[in-house]
Amino acid sequence: VIEESGGATDNSGGDAGAVQNGEAPYSYTTVTDDQGLITVSIPTSWADVNGEPNPNFGPSIWASPDLQGWNDTWDVPGIIVESAPDRSASEIDLLLQERDLSGVCENVGTEPYDDGLYGGTLQIWGSCGGTDTFYIVLAAAPFDADYLVRVEVQAVEPRDLEAADEALATFIANI
């Protein structure tokens, strides 16, 4: 879904592919939120993980090499995966508007999202905070239920875009 350069991921938890831009490809691990409702595959180096529910949204996982640095700057990669039991699939566009980063990032565009389990819209932002950082936001709903899912990834380098693809290919968010 997200344009990437080099490398590929296998499903055994390791990586296939060459070193990119001086950075080795990530190896991945699966994490679960504190309630056991969300799972996602993330880089093993993103070991600063918070699986507590977001009181303003619902079950969630936040992960990064440094959650505080990720929250405070555009220089640290990270991810959020959340599900909102009180939000309807009809609110996908509203959910994207809530994550409008037009004041600090360039709007690279939106595209429809459909992985067979979830459908929605993928919004890509670039040049965030005057850096080369991308911020990807997926607002989606499962095809077999009526609640919302949000996946957000801050990608600082090309291998972070691959991590975003891995997360989008592996997340499961229930309520």
Side-chain angles (χ1 to χ4, degrees):
V1 171
I2 299 164
E3 187 174 318
E4 53 187 289
S5 61
T9 303
D10 66 31
N11 290 327
S12 65
D15 287 320
V19 173
Q20 314 158 29
N21 298 333
E23 294 290 332
Y26 286 124
S27 57
Y28 293 88
T29 188
T30 299
V31 295
T32 304
D33 74 305
D34 292 355
Q35 297 176 306
L37 298 172
I38 298 174
T39 60
V40 65
S41 180
I42 63 167
T44 55
S45 61
W46 295 11
D48 193 355
V49 178
N50 179 345
E52 296 175 11
N54 176 343
N56 298 317
F57 205 82
S60 71
I61 294 174
W62 296 49
S64 171
D66 173 14
L67 283 173
Q68 190 64 49
W70 173 56
N71 279 319
D72 294 344
T73 73
W74 294 109
D75 300 325
V76 179
I79 186 170
I80 303 169
V81 181
E82 299 180 305
S83 61
D86 298 331
R87 310 267 317 250
S88 168
S90 64
E91 297 179 71
I92 287 175
D93 290 338
L94 180 61
L95 187 60
L96 280 178
Q97 290 171 7
E98 290 173 7
R99 297 305 294 154
D100 182 351
L101 300 174
S102 60
V104 291
C105 301
E106 174 187 323
N107 183 349
V108 176
T110 61
E111 57 188 70
Y113 180 86
D114 180 343
D115 66 9
L117 296 174
Y118 300 89
T121 303
L122 189 70
Q123 171 77 56
I124 303 171
W125 300 93
S127 302
C128 295
T131 69
D132 291 334
T133 297
F134 285 91
Y135 202 88
I136 298 107
V137 180
L138 170 65
F143 290 119
D144 63 352
D146 193 24
Y147 62 91
L148 287 181
V149 175
R150 176 171 56 201
V151 178
E152 300 181 31
V153 179
Q154 184 164 294
V156 177
E157 54 191 43
R159 68 184 184 156
D160 300 333
L161 293 173
E162 292 178 10
D165 279 343
E166 178 73 12
L168 291 173
T170 62
F171 80 90
I172 300 292
N174 296 299
I175 54 168

